[in-house]
Amino acid sequence: MGKQFLAITAKEEVTRNIAELSTKLAKRIVAETESVRIDRYEALGRIVARDMYSPHDIPPFDRATMDGYAVVASNTFYAAEDNPAALRVKCSIPAGEFPSQSIEQGSCTGISTGAVIPKGADAVVKVENTVEEDVAATVRTVKIYKPVAPGENIMLAGSDIKRGERIVNKGTILTPRETGVLAACGLNEVVARKKPIVAVISTGNEIVTPGETLTPGKIYDVNTQTLCDSVRDNGCIPVSLGITRDNIKEMAGKIRESLNEGADVIILSGGTSAGAGDVLPNVIEELGEIIVHGVDIKPGKPFVFGMCREKSVPVFGLPGNPTSALITFNLFVAPLLRTISGVSLQSDYDKGEITRAKAAVRIFSEPGRNEYVLVNLERAGKNFVVYPILTGSGAITTLSKAEGYVFMAKGKEILEEGEEVVVELLTKPVSFGKRGAFT
Amino acid sequence: MGKQFLAITAKEEVTRNIAELSTKLAKRIVAETESVRIDRYEALGRIVARDMYSPHDIPPFDRATMDGYAVVASNTFYAAEDNPAALRVKCSIPAGEFPSQSIEQGSCTGISTGAVIPKGADAVVKVENTVEEDVAATVRTVKIYKPVAPGENIMLAGSDIKRGERIVNKGTILTPRETGVLAACGLNEVVARKKPIVAVISTGNEIVTPGETLTPGKIYDVNTQTLCDSVRDNGCIPVSLGITRDNIKEMAGKIRESLNEGADVIILSGGTSAGAGDVLPNVIEELGEIIVHGVDIKPGKPFVFGMCREKSVPVFGLPGNPTSALITFNLFVAPLLRTISGVSLQSDYDKGEITRAKAAVRIFSEPGRNEYVLVNLERAGKNFVVYPILTGSGAITTLSKAEGYVFMAKGKEILEEGEEVVVELLTKPVSFGKRGAFT
């Protein structure tokens, strides 16, 4: 048995390391990855790879913005409640039809919102300020009770968007509002960034794929599921490579397979601590360089991070314990995925990931450790309180019971009842549906 | 031409009406809609339709939670730094293998985290508290420097989850943490609620499908795109029925088609104001009952809401103007969709949809109207300021420029520079990826 040395790195240094790398990596991925053509109808949430321009003037014609009468504005200048201007109504122009008549001094047309302004007209009088008594009469006349200025209630062709104008910038994440603008301009396709591919590998001699027979000594693999789902949550495409046994040859083989599959990032879980049969650090050493081996946090100490020599692909080794795997994923892997996928672009005023609460009871942490204490949140009036979860990081149910975690830095061993804490949410409110389940 | 009467309803009343209906409708949809079987791997974000139970004990066996030695605890009770207990090491048990040997007084086995505790052992001593000098020796001996209590560093079979225990409650929205628990229990399928189906219909004689030729007087349909995307954002499945012309027969036909398609909600846009050719209210009257026709807000006044007689399906008629359509969708339709889809279940501590900011300049609203003023947000130090968007609700670009809106109630005609405002976000931070784009 025996004990392998872990050169523990401070959490802040790991975070800084990964943040620097993320930015470089994001640039490289954007530069090297081909973009994909996507139908506008499927484009929601995707990142636009090229600036987009309108092929049309919007609106394409001078357009009425009110129901009423298209007039020569000067014909209404002296109109008043007690002195209406009377104009001959030549016809009515509904939306969607091209006007066959033009107007001149003394005449006008009825007009609907959205209809084309007829030649000769330079303003629209709102229907509320008019009276036309007999629309069916052979000679129609309307009385106008309020003056309009030239241009009033008309939207000029191209005044919203000019033909050739840039309508969506490269790098924009498409919301319904931008897809609406694309529709308005008649564009059916978007050139979007490909999503980064993340290989997910579970390691361990004791784990089997859920659903297979559980022979004595074996347990089901949890991390493939939670990590693939978390990868989706952070804007990337997970590719599961299944389970590998804890030996150098098999693990190196899976990493090479990941590189061949075009993985931009590789995540393994298990095989990272200093116990028997933990070989991942050796594998990374063989295929490239270890940057971090061990972080000063609990849970998550045996976190490994390195780069594959050949293609400069980052490799993360997370602890095998599902809760520790998820916490180290959230701390160190998610920020990188959010940067390379572009999800982080939108998080500027994203306040969903943390919340403030008070400790409902005294909470203890292990002396001398930077500890993430798993908690659940409960409402207390308008605020939240947190209770620590005591099942421990080894239990699977810890995962489903915890809503988030509270960080207790080394030296902070007790949180008093009522003390204010910042809770990092495991189930991010922002994350619901981010999962792509709503298609 | 002329003017049809709109019996304006107060915004609060409309909201209350729709909220009451939403709850009833959600119950009916949950009761009547069949559930669907979904692969665990695709289940993220879905709502579980039945309570789920574990078919296994988790862990399935007594399991070591540390690397070290499996011992009879009483053999270590008097161990100390200066008086180690010496035990014979019978073998080492790696994770994933079933131990072939049992232990007794005076003997122990090496054991890895996750391995099966051998018969006879009742505790695990951490490797840190032991010294075994020659693991390869024929007769192995380990010195133990700290006592352990019975049960220490062992997780008992079923102590995390008992066979038959309920692991996920009906109605839960699956996050990576619950899908992880399902994996741990070896469950590959989830019975999930079907997502509600929302029919989306654009009406108007002037609109054509984006990409088709734009003949004089026509414009491209924007609302099919923005409303379908917004329906996805709120956890439902949009079914686009395309464009219908502004006449009773065609519109009634599309509504009947929606009912035949199994729509749970029908959304039309356009055809709602009191101008020429606006027939939607008449159609709803014919097929059922109008509940609201006109709301005291700007933009969005000509909002219509009714119920189809035949199947009690709610029908929304939104203004044709894209910005007004999106605002009335967010105000009145989204809450209903969030309730019936179950998305709202998770929004308890969702703070993403509003944010506080200060007015960057004086902002005016129309006297006598409840107005939603479209704004964009800018960072100012740690806070945000808002600027009003002046292009007006008729412009398509208003949609893409605005990040949210500020409500100015009737009687509040001026917001002073620096005054604090609550901004309802159009691009909800929570909404990114919610769009199902990340699959």
Side-chain angles (χ1 to χ4, degrees):
Chain A
M1 218 143 272
K3 198 177 158 191
Q4 201 176 308
F5 181 66
L6 298 184
I8 297 295
T9 311
K11 180 198 160 203
E12 293 70 25
E13 197 184 322
V14 178
T15 306
R16 202 168 45 240
N17 261 333
I18 293 177
E20 277 170 25
L21 172 78
S22 301
T23 315
K24 279 188 227 161
L25 194 66
K27 278 191 193 150
R28 208 191 69 206
I29 291 178
V30 169
E32 289 179 6
T33 309
E34 293 160 70
S35 25
V36 281
R37 294 194 167 271
I38 292 171
D39 191 275
R40 171 173 37 77
Y41 203 72
E42 307 288 325
L44 193 60
R46 297 303 294 254
I47 300 172
V48 174
R50 296 184 200 154
D51 289 343
M52 296 185 74
Y53 301 88
S54 176
H56 299 285
D57 275 336
I58 308 293
F61 47 83
D62 297 347
R63 190 171 183 246
T65 62
M66 291 284 173
D67 291 333
Y69 293 85
V71 299
V72 178
S74 60
N75 286 178
T76 71
F77 284 174
Y78 305 100
E81 282 296 335
D82 55 357
N83 180 33
L87 294 174
R88 188 164 60 89
V89 185
K90 294 180 79 172
C91 64
S92 288
I93 308 171
E97 281 179 27
F98 199 73
S100 53
Q101 304 204 40
S102 56
I103 68 161
E104 53 282 321
Q105 298 291 335
S107 72
C108 69
T109 71
I111 196 157
S112 295
T113 304
V116 181
I117 301 293
K119 234 184 188 164
D122 63 358
V124 171
V125 183
K126 286 200 257 187
V127 69
E128 290 91 324
N129 300 329
T130 66
V131 173
E132 181 182 352
E133 265 155 24
D134 185 4
V135 180
T138 3
V139 178
R140 291 168 58 189
T141 304
V142 65
K143 284 183 184 160
I144 289 168
Y145 292 89
K146 262 195 172 175
V148 280
E152 205 167 324
N153 300 323
I154 292 183
M155 189 181 226
L156 294 176
S159 64
D160 192 356
I161 299 171
K162 283 251 167 321
R163 189 178 158 178
E165 187 179 328
R166 184 166 57 195
I167 46 170
V168 181
N169 293 333
K170 191 170 124 176
T172 302
I173 299 179
L174 294 174
T175 75
R177 301 175 302 118
E178 282 88 22
T179 58
V181 171
L182 298 179
C185 296
L187 296 168
N188 282 350
E189 261 192 359
V190 174
V191 178
R193 283 199 205 154
K194 243 183 177 167
K195 290 183 194 173
I197 292 171
V198 179
V200 175
I201 303 161
S202 279
T203 75
N205 298 335
E206 77 278 27
I207 55 173
V208 299
T209 301
E212 289 183 6
T213 312
L214 213 51
T215 53
K218 307 287 186 186
I219 56 168
Y220 284 127
D221 173 25
V222 172
N223 291 339
T224 293
Q225 181 72 35
T226 55
L227 294 176
C228 284
D229 281 349
S230 300
V231 163
R232 286 191 190 96
D233 256 3
N234 288 282
C236 299
I237 298 176
V239 175
S240 163
L241 280 95
I243 297 168
T244 170
R245 299 180 72 78
D246 245 347
N247 70 60
I248 293 199
K249 210 180 140 197
E250 274 197 37
M251 284 167 76
K254 285 280 184 192
I255 292 179
R256 287 204 192 87
E257 193 184 329
S258 305
L259 295 172
N260 293 341
E261 293 260 351
D264 296 299
V265 175
I266 301 171
I267 304 175
L268 298 101
S269 65
T272 56
S273 83
D278 287 321
V279 292
L280 176 60
N282 298 327
V283 176
I284 298 183
E285 196 97 90
E286 197 184 294
L287 295 174
E289 182 198 359
I290 289 190
I291 298 170
V292 174
H293 185 194
V295 190
D296 67 342
I297 59 166
K298 178 196 172 187
K301 187 169 150 194
F303 169 81
V304 183
F305 167 57
M307 294 291 283
C308 273
R309 200 178 303 113
E310 214 180 323
K311 298 192 181 175
S312 300
V313 166
V315 183
F316 291 93
L318 311 185
N321 174 313
T323 307
S324 309
L326 206 54
I327 287 184
T328 48
F329 178 93
N330 284 346
L331 284 175
F332 303 123
V333 188
L336 180 132
L337 299 190
R338 290 173 68 84
T339 302
I340 65 172
S341 67
V343 175
S344 58
L345 297 174
Q346 184 153 335
S347 64
D348 197 31
Y349 44 96
D350 174 352
K351 290 180 189 143
E353 298 187 5
I354 62 165
T355 191
R356 283 177 188 283
K358 285 183 175 172
V361 293
R362 263 189 156 196
I363 300 177
F364 301 90
S365 87
E366 196 181 311
R369 298 289 295 271
N370 286 315
E371 184 165 353
Y372 288 88
V373 179
L374 287 155
V375 295
N376 52 35
L377 276 172
E378 278 186 26
R379 275 216 174 271
K382 290 184 82 175
N383 302 310
F384 290 105
V385 294
V386 293
Y387 290 88
I389 291 187
L390 301 171
T391 45
S393 74
I396 299 298
T397 43
T398 303
L399 268 183
S400 55
K401 280 176 193 153
E403 266 121 22
Y405 40 81
V406 168
F407 181 61
M408 291 177 73
K410 212 184 286 181
K412 174 83 184 169
E413 287 163 22
I414 295 174
L415 272 169
E416 295 296 342
E417 185 184 326
E419 208 174 323
E420 194 168 273
V421 291
V422 172
V423 185
E424 298 183 56
L425 299 174
L426 274 168
T427 304
K428 302 169 202 162
V430 296
S431 123
F432 176 60
K434 180 181 283 183
R435 291 150 197 163
F438 287 104
T439 30
Chain B
M1 218 145 267
K3 198 176 155 189
Q4 202 176 305
F5 181 66
L6 299 183
I8 297 294
T9 311
K11 181 198 158 201
E12 293 68 27
E13 197 183 324
V14 178
T15 306
R16 203 169 44 241
N17 260 333
I18 293 177
E20 276 170 26
L21 173 78
S22 300
T23 315
K24 277 188 228 161
L25 194 66
K27 277 191 195 151
R28 207 191 69 205
I29 290 178
V30 170
E32 288 179 6
T33 309
E34 293 161 69
S35 26
V36 280
R37 293 193 168 270
I38 292 171
D39 190 275
R40 170 173 37 77
Y41 204 72
E42 307 288 326
L44 193 60
R46 298 301 295 255
I47 300 173
V48 174
R50 296 185 200 153
D51 289 342
M52 296 185 73
Y53 301 88
S54 177
H56 299 285
D57 275 336
I58 309 291
F61 48 82
D62 298 347
R63 191 170 182 245
T65 63
M66 291 284 172
D67 291 333
Y69 293 85
V71 300
V72 178
S74 60
N75 287 176
T76 69
F77 284 174
Y78 304 101
E81 281 298 332
D82 55 358
N83 180 33
L87 294 174
R88 188 163 61 86
V89 184
K90 295 178 79 172
C91 63
S92 289
I93 308 170
E97 282 179 27
F98 198 74
S100 53
Q101 303 203 39
S102 56
I103 68 162
E104 52 282 321
Q105 298 292 335
S107 73
C108 68
T109 70
I111 197 157
S112 295
T113 304
V116 182
I117 301 295
K119 232 183 188 166
D122 64 357
V124 170
V125 184
K126 286 199 258 187
V127 70
E128 290 91 325
N129 299 331
T130 66
V131 172
E132 182 182 354
E133 265 154 26
D134 185 6
V135 179
T138 3
V139 178
R140 292 168 59 188
T141 305
V142 66
K143 283 182 182 160
I144 288 166
Y145 291 88
K146 261 196 170 173
V148 281
E152 206 167 322
N153 300 323
I154 292 182
M155 188 180 225
L156 294 176
S159 64
D160 192 357
I161 300 170
K162 284 247 168 323
R163 189 177 157 177
E165 188 178 326
R166 184 167 56 196
I167 46 170
V168 181
N169 293 334
K170 191 169 123 176
T172 302
I173 299 178
L174 294 174
T175 74
R177 300 175 303 118
E178 282 89 22
T179 58
V181 170
L182 298 178
C185 296
L187 297 168
N188 283 349
E189 262 192 357
V190 174
V191 178
R193 282 198 205 154
K194 243 185 178 164
K195 290 183 195 175
I197 292 171
V198 178
V200 174
I201 302 161
S202 279
T203 75
N205 298 334
E206 77 278 28
I207 54 172
V208 298
T209 301
E212 289 182 5
T213 313
L214 213 51
T215 52
K218 308 286 185 186
I219 57 168
Y220 285 126
D221 173 25
V222 172
N223 291 340
T224 293
Q225 181 71 36
T226 54
L227 295 176
C228 285
D229 281 349
S230 300
V231 164
R232 286 190 189 97
D233 256 4
N234 288 282
C236 300
I237 298 176
V239 175
S240 161
L241 280 95
I243 297 167
T244 169
R245 299 180 73 78
D246 245 350
N247 70 60
I248 293 199
K249 209 180 143 196
E250 275 198 36
M251 286 169 73
K254 286 279 184 192
I255 293 178
R256 286 204 194 90
E257 195 184 329
S258 306
L259 295 172
N260 293 340
E261 293 260 350
D264 296 299
V265 175
I266 301 171
I267 305 174
L268 297 100
S269 65
T272 57
S273 82
D278 288 320
V279 293
L280 176 60
N282 298 328
V283 176
I284 298 184
E285 197 98 89
E286 196 184 296
L287 295 174
E289 182 197 0
I290 290 190
I291 298 170
V292 174
H293 186 194
V295 190
D296 67 341
I297 58 166
K298 179 196 170 186
K301 189 170 149 193
F303 169 81
V304 183
F305 167 58
M307 294 291 283
C308 272
R309 200 179 303 113
E310 214 181 322
K311 297 192 181 175
S312 301
V313 167
V315 183
F316 290 94
L318 311 185
N321 173 315
T323 307
S324 309
L326 206 55
I327 287 184
T328 48
F329 178 94
N330 283 347
L331 284 175
F332 304 123
V333 189
L336 180 133
L337 299 190
R338 291 172 67 84
T339 301
I340 64 172
S341 67
V343 174
S344 58
L345 296 173
Q346 185 154 335
S347 64
D348 197 30
Y349 44 96
D350 175 350
K351 291 180 187 142
E353 296 185 8
I354 62 164
T355 191
R356 282 176 190 284
K358 284 182 174 172
V361 294
R362 262 188 156 195
I363 301 178
F364 301 90
S365 88
E366 195 178 313
R369 299 289 294 272
N370 285 316
E371 184 165 355
Y372 288 87
V373 179
L374 287 154
V375 296
N376 52 34
L377 276 171
E378 277 186 26
R379 275 217 173 273
K382 289 182 83 173
N383 302 310
F384 290 104
V385 294
V386 292
Y387 290 88
I389 292 187
L390 302 171
T391 44
S393 74
I396 300 298
T397 44
T398 303
L399 268 182
S400 55
K401 279 176 193 154
E403 265 120 21
Y405 39 83
V406 169
F407 182 60
M408 291 176 74
K410 212 184 287 182
K412 173 84 184 169
E413 286 162 25
I414 297 175
L415 271 169
E416 294 296 342
E417 185 185 327
E419 207 174 323
E420 195 167 273
V421 292
V422 172
V423 186
E424 298 183 56
L425 298 174
L426 273 168
T427 304
K428 302 169 202 160
V430 297
S431 122
F432 175 61
K434 180 181 281 181
R435 296 153 192 157
F438 288 104
T439 29

